Amino acid sequence: MSSSLFSAQLHPGRALGFLVLGASLHDVLTRIKAEPQRFPKIELYFQSTAPVTKEVIVGLPANGLRLQFDGPEQRLRLIEVINFTKNHIFFKPANDKERDLVRPPSSSPTTDSTPEPTFRHIYQRFLGPTYGGEFVKQAGDAGLYILSYPGVGFVFPMKASEYSPQKDVVALLSSSAVPKSMAIFSDLRPLSKGKDVCPDEVSLVKIHGGGKVQLFRKWTNNSFWIHFGETTPQQIVAELGPPDAIYRKNDQRMYIHKLRSASNTAGRPNGKDLKQHDDMTDTDQSSLNPSDGYESNEEEAVEDEVANVAGECFYNYFYLGFDILVSTPTEPSEPPPSSSNKPTPEPPFRSTNPHRQVATKLILHGNVPGSYPFNRHRRCRWEIAYLGKGDDEDTEDQVPNSETPFPELEEKLKEEWKSIYASEGEAQQKQRGMVLNRGWGDSPGSSIEMLGGWEEPGAGMGKKFEGSEESTTTLYGYPGLVFEVLRSGAVSAVTVF
Ligand SMILES: *[C@@H]1O[C@H](CO)[C@@H](O)[C@H](O)[C@H]1NC(C)=O
Ligand SMILES: *[C@@H]1O[C@H](CO)[C@@H](O)[C@H](O)[C@H]1NC(C)=O
């Protein structure tokens, strides 16, 4: 048992070992999955009807840990230790010796017979005295007393009849009281604005239509524009760093895969739709799971590739949440009808060389829990800027975005684009959904047990998600956009061109 014991230093308000508040779900799961002996069981809890708005919880039952992430950003917000016998937690105050929350079971033959922390130990030795805690009433006479320190709290069971706001904490809790859990949280706002969060990461992608997107850096107003058909791979690498992998579009495996996905597609596309179909299924081809060993094969080649790109390929940015297609120039999509009111910058210069390599497409990944490609990429948030009301900052939160349920998004897109179609019939024909089944092979999240359908985090933790993941998605196309939509209405990916 002690060999697999999770041992970690407590940093109140910041971290528990390598689990750092503000880290992305993708990053945390990728690290945890890389150590199956230390973390033998991974459970993922999410609400299957609201997978990107409600919190997502990672349960590590063999380690006595539970990690809570928010839905829209998928950032670690709360670390809970729910079984103290399955881990070894220590604290190192500045200018003092390291202290154990509980002695590891193997090395405590004498003193404390209980392998669990007591109130006395926490209050007198581990963290020291603190101010009065908070009482939370539960059903009947049950309740919880939360002993708080900045950035860390201990939850003790306490009957409502035993609690009195007049009594201080020492009078309320017996010295041998054992907490049922410990929580580590950030007491800074905003929560994730920590040193450990990479400041250069892209936090939002604004889609302007007409082949223009704007990538915003976290914590700043700085942005970087990509003009499809103009922005070069060198400019991309200068702004975003080298990609995590480069995926050749004309790879043999991809070709086989393409045939399979085409044969699984419902309906009989005509010639024109076939071209569209090729655009639509790019999310499939854009990347393989890094755990397929693909990433490591490519890594060394990246520098060379960047300098000497030949043929169509995807730049995979798994840790930023998107892929960029680099190819010879294609015509960018037409500007949205309403965009004449909202001018956007033009590319600094236009090249006329038809053989040059440029960015022609961007695939933004939603990393939706329960979806087939879950945990291949970090979640990337986006908004469709041209569907906003104007430049007024106050309306910013109404701009349709990555959390908007697709039916709502669809309504606004139909309204925006209706003038380009000759008739309603034509609009319906062009905009109809197309079913895609990607249930082949192992999904990137295959070693994670998916447990959708809970209502309240912590309470019973819900039932198993039907099937390990959702392999059927529906594709919807608009000028310059293809959405990949799950049954819940959550958008799992959007391709912009
Ligand atoms: C904690 O883990 C131990 C060892 O697996 C188990 O016996 C105990 O019941 C667990 N405690 C709780 C509160 O789940
Ligand atoms: C970003 O811009 C807004 C309004 O234009 C301003 O209030 C804010 O301070 C800026 N933030 C940073 C980090 O520069």
Side-chain angles (χ1 to χ4, degrees):
M1 165 157 194
S2 49
S3 64
S4 67
L5 205 63
F6 173 72
S7 178
Q9 181 171 356
L10 167 67
H11 302 274
R14 272 201 342 109
L16 182 65
F18 74 92
L19 301 165
V20 178
L21 294 170
S24 76
L25 175 61
H26 170 252
D27 190 25
V28 170
L29 278 179
T30 302
R31 280 164 174 247
I32 287 173
K33 278 180 65 179
E35 288 188 80
Q37 289 189 319
R38 204 168 164 215
F39 304 103
K41 195 162 173 21
I42 308 170
E43 296 173 339
L44 191 82
Y45 298 92
F46 57 96
Q47 255 186 46
S48 23
T49 52
V52 297
T53 48
K54 294 287 169 25
E55 56 268 65
V56 176
I57 292 172
V58 173
L60 299 170
N63 313 92
L65 298 177
R66 197 157 65 192
L67 313 174
Q68 187 175 313
F69 296 79
D70 70 280
E73 280 199 70
Q74 295 189 344
R75 302 252 154 214
L76 182 55
R77 302 302 183 188
L78 186 73
I79 303 164
E80 289 176 284
V81 179
I82 54 175
N83 189 327
F84 297 99
T85 70
K86 296 183 174 182
N87 40 64
H88 167 218
I89 291 162
F90 57 94
F91 176 58
K92 182 154 183 352
N95 313 319
D96 206 346
K97 279 196 307 214
E98 195 174 288
R99 303 163 185 177
D100 285 347
L101 174 57
V102 187
R103 288 205 185 82
S106 53
S107 67
S108 61
T110 50
T111 50
D112 272 327
S113 57
T114 163
E116 294 186 287
T118 59
F119 168 65
R120 181 183 51 195
H121 178 70
I122 294 165
Y123 198 79
Q124 295 185 345
R125 275 186 290 170
F126 188 62
L127 292 174
T130 184
Y131 42 85
E134 186 194 344
F135 183 75
V136 182
K137 202 177 164 343
Q138 293 181 311
D141 194 30
L144 300 170
Y145 184 82
I146 300 152
L147 179 72
S148 301
Y149 294 85
V152 59
F154 294 86
V155 179
F156 291 86
M158 184 184 284
K159 292 196 169 100
S161 53
E162 287 167 0
Y163 176 71
S164 155
Q166 273 78 48
K167 290 191 195 166
D168 80 357
V169 52
V170 178
L172 280 168
L173 286 166
S174 85
S175 62
S176 60
V178 170
K180 54 180 281 188
S181 64
M182 175 176 90
I184 300 146
F185 49 87
S186 173
D187 44 6
L188 305 168
R189 309 275 159 200
L191 281 172
S192 56
K193 200 168 177 170
K195 275 206 229 55
D196 303 282
V197 177
C198 171
D200 285 343
E201 73 181 58
V202 173
S203 55
L204 178 70
V205 174
K206 285 193 184 179
I207 300 165
H208 291 280
K212 294 174 183 179
V213 294
Q214 195 180 9
L215 280 57
F216 282 83
R217 302 219 182 269
K218 213 162 179 77
W219 320 131
T220 71
N221 290 333
N222 299 343
S223 67
F224 158 54
W225 286 82
I226 295 179
H227 294 93
F228 298 125
E230 299 294 337
T231 303
T232 64
Q234 289 75 16
Q235 287 170 318
I236 290 167
V237 171
E239 289 290 339
L240 304 172
D244 301 313
I246 290 182
Y247 184 74
R248 299 224 152 269
K249 222 186 149 187
N250 295 322
D251 190 283
Q252 190 67 21
R253 282 167 295 185
M254 185 214 77
Y255 178 70
I256 292 164
H257 172 201
K258 191 179 205 167
L259 291 177
R260 291 203 36 189
S261 61
S263 66
N264 284 337
T265 300
R268 295 229 151 263
N270 59 33
K272 181 159 190 304
D273 280 357
L274 268 177
K275 167 73 184 77
Q276 194 186 14
H277 180 215
D278 183 50
D279 278 341
M280 285 182 135
T281 52
D282 263 350
T283 46
D284 258 12
Q285 304 155 9
S286 61
S287 57
L288 287 176
N289 179 4
S291 67
D292 293 342
Y294 196 81
E295 189 181 28
S296 49
N297 291 346
E298 285 292 324
E299 219 153 24
E300 285 168 24
V302 165
E303 294 293 333
D304 288 347
E305 299 267 8
V306 168
N308 178 27
V309 196
E312 280 199 328
C313 61
F314 281 101
Y315 280 25
N316 301 134
Y317 287 96
F318 300 115
Y319 288 85
L320 293 176
F322 51 77
D323 304 312
I324 299 170
L325 178 66
V326 172
S327 67
T328 51
T330 54
E331 195 60 30
S333 61
E334 63 192 291
S338 70
S339 65
S340 50
N341 326 329
K342 291 167 245 164
T344 46
E346 292 304 319
F349 64 90
R350 289 182 191 278
S351 165
T352 49
N353 174 4
H355 305 296
R356 70 194 189 274
Q357 294 286 319
V358 288
T360 49
K361 225 179 247 190
L362 173 68
I363 302 172
L364 305 167
H365 296 274
N367 197 33
V368 182
S371 69
Y372 177 78
F374 177 70
N375 212 48
R376 180 179 294 165
H377 292 76
R378 195 199 81 184
R379 175 172 175 78
C380 179
R381 300 180 84 189
W382 44 265
E383 61 183 42
I384 303 177
Y386 64 79
L387 295 179
K389 297 276 180 296
D391 290 331
D392 187 356
E393 291 294 321
D394 293 344
T395 62
E396 198 71 5
D397 58 346
Q398 288 158 27
V399 181
N401 62 26
S402 39
E403 286 79 65
T404 308
F406 187 72
E408 215 175 289
L409 209 55
E410 190 178 26
E411 212 172 283
K412 297 206 162 105
L413 283 163
K414 280 191 169 147
E415 184 61 29
E416 169 74 30
W417 291 103
K418 69 178 178 203
S419 62
I420 69 160
Y421 300 110
S423 68
E424 205 159 299
E426 190 196 332
Q428 268 175 10
Q429 160 72 17
K430 292 267 169 65
Q431 298 169 351
R432 76 191 193 284
M434 190 169 75
V435 176
L436 178 76
N437 194 333
R438 38 168 90 259
W440 52 278
D442 268 357
S443 78
S446 57
S447 60
I448 301 166
E449 190 178 0
M450 300 287 173
L451 297 135
W454 55 264
E455 295 308 322
E456 280 297 315
M461 291 312 240
K463 60 178 194 292
K464 192 158 182 344
F465 195 61
E466 2 159 336
S468 59
E469 74 265 334
E470 191 173 333
S471 57
T472 305
T473 57
T474 309
L475 304 177
Y476 295 90
Y478 290 88
L481 291 171
V482 177
F483 296 90
E484 196 165 311
V485 183
L486 301 171
R487 258 175 308 180
S488 61
V491 176
S492 77
V494 54
T495 302
V496 192
F497 50 95

